[in-house]
Amino acid sequence: MPIFERPPLETLAMARDRWTPIYLEHGRLEVDDSSVKWIGADGLLYRLPVATISAILLGPGTTVTHAAMKACADSNTPVCWIGEEAMRFYAFGLAPNHDNDMPRFHATAWADKKRRTEIARRMFKMRFPDVDVESRSIKELRGMEGLRVRALYAQLGLQYGVTWKGRNYDKSNWDMADGINRGLSAANASLYALCAAVVCSLGYVPSLGFVHDAGTLPFIYDVADLYKHLTSIPAAFLAARQNSADDGDLVRKLLKQRIEEEKLLQRIPKDLEALFALSTINPQPPTSP
């Protein structure tokens, strides 16, 4: 059987010139007759021009062969493993660029304590423009953030007529949480998925956070926090007002609307570039793909 031959590097389309990402679920991705093909659970077969696709998003019920992954890597085509309707982000393969400029740039900024603190302060400034961040430590800013977010919850509870008793839920006993806490968790998880997809596609390092430092995705939480007050939090309160028994479908639908209204996919890359570029040392980040 012929194998997939690696296309010459100069023939590969740049990320901005490729087709839209393709979402696949319930089927198998493999290589046959020198091409990558998708065999759906419905029995239909589709041949995929992987060298011209910007990303392949694999949803639930999918399997992929080693040969197919190699073909995608040879074509510089990212593969992401995501949840149903693309509202979870589990892992990703290759970033759509040919160098490690962005990870090195991110790591350099993180390793410099002065720059790390400066970027963290600018993240707070984006959310709370009326606060003097220069004289505050990161620990103090975290405390102020907590107070402001709690005040926002209480304000939206009154605005939407939703009973708010505080942020309280137990992952091991999900059903014990009230509707608004379940809605907030579902909306935030979906926002994390979106931010992870953008961060990874741009080449930033998810594990190197500036405000958050625990877990495996602190930078994802840093980025998501910049937009929660515009997207996931109001979506959760609106969903609770419309249907207190929502199982997550409504809040995700409302979250998508908020994301589109705020043009988040366009904003995040520009905001991140500005955050890093405004730091005092090495002010110019590499150009985003």
Side-chain angles (χ1 to χ4, degrees):
M1 179 182 70
I3 61 173
F4 184 91
E5 295 185 3
R6 181 173 188 171
L9 182 61
E10 62 273 12
T11 67
L12 294 177
M14 298 182 67
R16 64 172 178 267
D17 298 326
R18 294 194 174 204
W19 296 355
T20 183
I22 183 170
Y23 173 77
L24 303 169
E25 65 178 18
H26 301 294
R28 175 182 174 89
L29 194 67
E30 62 180 47
V31 172
D32 187 18
D33 296 331
S34 300
S35 66
V36 177
K37 67 179 181 181
W38 169 256
I39 305 173
D42 53 7
L44 295 179
L45 184 150
Y46 309 90
R47 299 198 180 276
L48 304 178
V50 292
T52 59
I53 297 174
S54 58
I56 295 177
L57 311 179
L58 297 180
T62 58
T63 58
V64 57
T65 65
H66 181 277
M69 283 301 304
K70 181 178 182 299
C72 291
D74 288 344
S75 301
N76 203 33
T77 301
V79 178
C80 302
W81 286 263
I82 62 179
E84 185 178 4
E85 296 184 0
M87 297 309 290
R88 294 291 187 276
F89 186 91
Y90 303 126
F92 76 106
L94 189 70
N97 49 359
H98 291 286
D99 54 48
N100 63 355
D101 286 352
M102 187 62 79
R104 287 191 293 107
F105 177 80
H106 186 160
T108 300
W110 180 88
D112 185 316
K113 187 175 181 180
K114 183 178 179 180
R115 289 190 68 198
R116 192 193 315 178
T117 301
E118 184 179 354
I119 291 173
R121 284 174 175 162
R122 292 191 180 279
M123 287 181 169
F124 282 112
K125 193 69 175 178
M126 282 183 62
R127 300 167 60 197
F128 311 120
D130 57 328
V131 175
D132 176 19
V133 300
E134 300 303 325
S135 61
R136 306 280 185 173
S137 68
I138 301 303
K139 185 176 180 180
E140 289 176 321
L141 290 170
R142 286 187 186 127
M144 294 171 61
E145 174 192 32
L147 292 173
R148 290 199 168 216
V149 171
R150 285 193 289 273
L152 176 61
Y153 287 149
Q155 174 190 336
L156 291 178
L158 292 173
Q159 178 180 339
Y160 289 101
V162 175
T163 301
W164 175 251
K165 300 178 180 179
R167 190 75 172 104
N168 184 26
Y169 68 98
D170 183 355
K171 292 181 180 179
S172 62
N173 198 354
W174 180 248
D175 293 333
M176 291 299 294
D178 58 16
I180 182 57
N181 272 283
R182 291 197 301 269
L184 283 166
S185 296
N188 287 338
S190 298
L191 180 61
Y192 295 150
L194 174 70
C195 292
V198 176
V199 165
C200 292
S201 68
L202 293 174
Y204 292 99
V205 185
S207 58
L208 299 182
F210 294 84
V211 177
H212 295 82
D213 54 17
T216 58
L217 300 173
F219 189 61
I220 303 302
Y221 304 140
D222 283 355
V223 175
D225 277 357
L226 299 176
Y227 309 104
K228 281 182 180 178
H229 65 294
L230 299 173
T231 56
S232 60
I233 296 177
F237 277 90
L238 180 56
R241 184 181 72 177
Q242 294 183 5
N243 180 9
S244 60
D246 175 44
D247 61 358
D249 286 344
L250 176 59
V251 71
R252 285 191 289 268
K253 178 181 178 181
L254 295 173
L255 174 63
K256 287 181 180 179
Q257 293 175 358
R258 299 289 300 187
I259 289 171
E260 291 172 359
E261 290 170 0
E262 297 295 335
K263 295 181 170 55
L264 222 58
L265 288 174
Q266 292 89 346
R267 287 181 60 174
I268 295 177
K270 295 177 181 178
D271 287 345
L272 292 182
E273 187 170 354
L275 281 169
F276 281 85
L278 286 169
S279 53
T280 55
I281 305 173
N282 190 19
Q284 295 300 324
T287 303
S288 301

